[in-house]
Amino acid sequence: MTKVAWEAYPQRSGLAERAPAYLLSDDPFQIAERLSDVGFETVHLAGARWTRSDGDYTHTATVIESDGSNADTAAEINVYLKATEIQQDVRRVLYAFVIHQDCGDGPVRRDEALRVAGSHAALDALIHLHGRSDDVGVDEILHRGIDALALLHAERELGLLTDD
C-alpha cells in the first residue's frame, strides 16, 4: 500500500492555508492519474516528492508510506505519470485529426495521426465513427476508441506492451 501526501503552501499573505490531502492505493497508475489531475508532471519529481508552483501556492506530493523505498515507489509512479502525459498528447493529436481541427502547431497530418493510432485500420475506424457521431451512442464509442488507442500507444512507448 502506498500513501502520498498532497499539500499546498501559500506563497503570499492573505491566501488560505489548505489542509493536506492523502492518496492511498495499491495501484501506482491510480495515484499517477490523480497527480496528473491536479497538475503534476514527471519533471516535477525529485527523490520521493513532486513539487510545482502556480504563483499563489507551491504544491507538493510526497510518498510518505510504501512497501519499498519511498524514492523507488515515486519513480514507479512517475513511469505511470509519464503514461498519462503520453495519453494526453495522443488524445490531442487524434481528436485534432479526426475532428479536423488544429493541434496548436498547425493541422495534424495523417502520418502523425497514424503514428499514434498504430494502424491504418484503427485510424480509419475513428474517422468512420466520427462521420456517424450523431447516431445514438456512436460519439461515446468514438471517445472510448481514442482513449483505448492513447493507452495502447503509451504502453508501447514505455515498453509496457510487448505484443502488437
Side-chain angles (χ1 to χ4, degrees):
M1 187 63 70
T2 301
K3 186 175 186 179
V4 176
W6 176 44
E7 301 174 280
Y9 303 98
Q11 295 303 297
R12 57 184 167 79
S13 63
L15 295 174
E17 291 204 24
R18 299 177 182 169
Y22 297 94
L23 304 170
L24 186 63
S25 179
D26 283 327
D27 183 1
F29 186 66
Q30 186 179 40
I31 293 172
E33 283 183 320
R34 183 63 185 122
L35 291 176
S36 177
D37 288 346
V38 295
F40 288 103
E41 298 175 358
T42 54
V43 296
H44 296 139
L45 179 64
R49 172 177 289 167
W50 292 266
T51 305
R52 69 171 185 83
S53 180
D54 64 11
D56 291 335
Y57 290 89
T58 295
H59 303 271
T60 64
T62 308
V63 176
I64 57 175
E65 290 179 23
S66 65
D67 294 334
S69 87
N70 290 349
D72 288 347
T73 300
E76 179 185 11
I77 292 168
N78 219 40
V79 169
Y80 290 99
L81 189 56
K82 181 66 176 175
T84 65
E85 293 170 7
I86 292 169
Q87 287 176 26
Q88 290 170 355
D89 289 342
V90 170
R91 283 185 194 104
R92 180 182 60 81
V93 168
L94 290 176
Y95 279 117
F97 180 79
V98 171
I99 302 173
H100 308 289
Q101 296 177 351
D102 255 352
C103 199
D105 303 320
V108 175
R109 294 186 333 263
R110 182 175 178 87
D111 61 331
E112 174 63 8
L114 180 60
R115 183 187 68 77
V116 298
S119 74
H120 289 284
L123 190 56
D124 291 342
L126 293 178
I127 293 166
H128 174 75
L129 288 171
H130 180 267
R132 296 192 50 212
S133 61
D134 289 338
D135 295 350
V136 175
V138 174
D139 192 51
E140 184 177 338
I141 294 168
L142 172 65
H143 293 284
R144 286 185 182 183
I146 289 174
D147 289 345
L149 291 174
L151 177 61
L152 288 171
H153 182 79
E155 288 178 342
R156 274 194 308 267
E157 188 97 357
L158 296 171
L160 302 172
L161 183 67
T162 54
D163 293 331
D164 284 1

